[in-house]
Amino acid sequence: MASGWAAGPPRGPSRPEFWRSPLRGPWLTAVFGLVLLFGITVLFVTGLLSYTAYDPNLAAVNDQTPDKGWLGFHLFPWPTSPYWLYRVTQGVHVTLGIALVPVLLAKLWSVIPKLFAWPPVRSAAQALERLSLLLLVGGAGFEFVTGILNVQLHYVFPGSFYTLHLYGAWVFIGAFLVHVAFRLRRAVRALRAGPRRPDPDSEEAAGLVSPRPAAPTISRRGALGMVGLGSLALLAVTAGQSVGGWFRQTALLAPHGQDPGSGPNGFQINKTAASVGIRPSDIGPAWRLTVRGAGRQIDLTYDRLLAMPQNEALLPIACVEGWSTPDQHWSGVRLTDLAALVGLGAHTPQVLVESVQRGGSFSSVVLGAHQVRDARSLLAVRVNGAVLSHDHGYPARVIVPGAPGVHNTKWVTRLTFGEPA
């Protein structure tokens, strides 16, 4: 093997002269790397916050990740104030992730000769670096592709997006940290040196400079401008889904066909009643809301629920896919008032919320005690002055300030206060 390596690289991409672009070099790679260093750090932090918003340690139904071990964590109970917190953090996570795609592709293009470097392994440290590079490139591709597919509600991957994206994120960030540890000093030196072209055989060239470059058709700064314009274009056609309202018309990359039309119920949804197996009999006159807690149980008809004191809250819906609505005007019964029906007073405990839906994920969820006690947390029966539509959760749905959209359970049939989920 050693003699084969000594004979030199085989024909093809392992030979430095195979790569002809005059643009490749340590400065251009360092610029792309610096942007990704900042951007991926923000993505990781907002991703951690997204995971925390699901309150994964509160109950098994909130986080069904198998064998998560120490990869599962609970930073803090997700707050209800400010009520727009999840809308902002997840909007930033998704919008920034899509806007970084041109930068990621450009960075991979700029270092592709390194993937074919010869010999493949020169030392233990270099072997570790190449392994981290393989995990970095594969992890980045996996995270960005699954994230974009999730934004489009296009679940073609095997298993749960939630689980796959979580595990993939840890693999990716581990490789990312190793790569930064190996390359940060060199990147800083390259930035200080500027865009000049170092000698191809020098250590400064880092194996990125072509020994036989083709004639340039664009400058390095021009290439940076093109990548930047690509990112700005993606930002312009993505951000509207997080801003909501009129700006949603500009969100060309947002999933379409999920808008139920105009009117009081005319705002974004992910799941229709039909898509999760809701039958007319499930939400018809025979529907009952069962409230349990403190060893007691009470069943409420829809008319009796309407006869209870009705309260109002202005709250948005914000989902993991990055889309959100403007504040909607909800009205319904406070969760604390429903807990009082079974004898639970001011110190209302957590609640298990269960839906009649038969398909899809998150048909049940546990809300923390602090969420239940917030005066804006409602079992809503109306929105924007109208009865809930079937697709928005008729006859009743939960609405909680700051909670991810999947925790605002629709088609609620049972509330169980204080008992283990």
Side-chain angles (χ1 to χ4, degrees):
M1 179 66 71
S3 61
W5 287 358
R11 292 183 179 274
S14 293
R15 295 194 174 188
E17 60 270 18
F18 179 86
W19 306 101
R20 302 288 311 278
S21 173
L23 300 183
R24 286 192 182 94
W27 179 81
L28 188 65
T29 296
V31 172
F32 291 140
L34 181 65
V35 174
L36 289 174
L37 177 61
F38 171 78
I40 288 174
T41 299
V42 174
L43 288 181
F44 185 64
V45 170
T46 52
L48 291 180
L49 292 175
S50 179
Y51 182 72
T52 297
Y54 281 72
D55 284 318
N57 283 10
L58 192 58
V61 295
N62 287 22
D63 179 17
Q64 300 177 24
T65 304
D67 304 320
K68 60 183 179 179
W70 60 269
L71 293 180
F73 56 89
H74 192 214
L75 295 177
F76 48 81
W78 190 250
T80 56
S81 292
Y83 72 89
W84 42 258
L85 181 61
Y86 186 76
R87 183 181 182 187
V88 170
T89 59
Q90 193 61 16
V92 168
H93 184 77
V94 170
T95 303
L96 178 61
I98 292 176
L100 283 177
V101 168
V103 184
L104 177 67
L105 294 177
K107 175 67 159 57
L108 293 176
W109 170 85
S110 75
V111 299
I112 196 169
K114 300 287 287 182
L115 299 178
F116 298 92
W118 192 267
V121 178
R122 291 190 298 269
S123 66
Q126 193 245 3
L128 178 61
E129 182 185 7
R130 288 184 70 82
L131 177 61
S132 72
L133 192 61
L134 177 63
L135 295 175
L136 179 70
V137 173
F142 181 84
E143 287 298 283
F144 276 80
V145 168
T146 56
I148 291 171
L149 288 174
N150 180 62
V151 169
Q152 294 298 318
L153 307 177
H154 194 47
Y155 302 112
V156 295
F157 31 80
S160 165
F161 161 78
Y162 178 91
T163 301
L164 293 172
H165 206 66
L166 173 65
Y167 282 142
W170 283 114
V171 172
F172 171 59
I173 203 64
F176 180 74
L177 292 174
V178 171
H179 185 71
V180 169
F182 274 107
R183 292 298 182 185
L184 184 58
R185 287 186 179 180
R186 177 173 286 181
V188 171
R189 288 198 303 267
L191 288 172
R192 288 174 176 171
R196 63 181 179 81
R197 185 177 184 272
D199 186 272
D201 295 325
S202 68
E203 182 181 353
E204 185 184 4
L208 299 174
V209 179
S210 173
R212 194 160 57 89
T217 57
I218 188 174
S219 68
R220 289 185 177 90
R221 287 190 170 91
L224 285 176
M226 287 183 60
V227 173
L229 286 174
S231 289
L232 287 175
L234 287 176
L235 178 68
V237 297
T238 303
Q241 71 165 347
S242 299
V243 177
W246 179 89
F247 291 98
R248 184 168 172 77
Q249 300 176 57
T250 67
L252 302 182
L253 296 185
H256 293 276
Q258 300 294 110
D259 193 329
S262 59
N265 281 271
F267 53 94
Q268 171 88 9
I269 56 173
N270 269 7
K271 301 174 182 177
T272 65
S275 70
V276 293
I278 302 296
R279 301 173 303 191
S281 59
D282 295 327
I283 54 177
W287 174 87
R288 295 292 183 271
L289 174 69
T290 299
V291 183
R292 295 174 177 169
R296 298 174 60 183
Q297 175 176 315
I298 186 169
D299 294 320
L300 302 177
T301 64
Y302 184 65
D303 288 340
R304 187 172 175 187
L305 186 64
L306 294 180
M308 293 184 67
Q310 302 291 299
N311 294 272
E312 299 179 348
L314 281 171
L315 297 171
I317 295 288
C319 277
V320 70
E321 294 84 7
W323 66 261
S324 58
T325 72
D327 292 353
Q328 307 297 321
H329 191 171
W330 306 92
S331 61
V333 180
R334 285 177 177 160
L335 295 182
T336 50
D337 290 344
L338 291 164
L341 295 177
V342 290
L344 296 170
H347 301 292
T348 310
Q350 67 185 41
V351 62
L352 170 64
V353 183
E354 297 175 84
S355 171
V356 298
Q357 77 174 65
R358 290 176 171 77
S361 57
F362 293 100
S363 60
S364 60
V365 69
V366 172
L367 301 174
H370 70 288
Q371 293 175 305
V372 175
R373 295 172 190 173
D374 193 297
R376 297 165 294 179
S377 296
L378 306 176
L379 184 69
V381 293
R382 299 177 69 86
V383 63
N384 300 321
V387 174
L388 293 173
S389 68
H390 287 186
D391 289 338
H392 274 300
Y394 176 86
R397 68 171 296 165
V398 162
I399 185 73
V400 175
V406 291
H407 284 194
N408 292 303
T409 309
K410 298 191 284 188
W411 313 291
V412 174
T413 188
R414 186 179 295 111
L415 298 172
T416 304
F417 290 93
E419 298 175 14

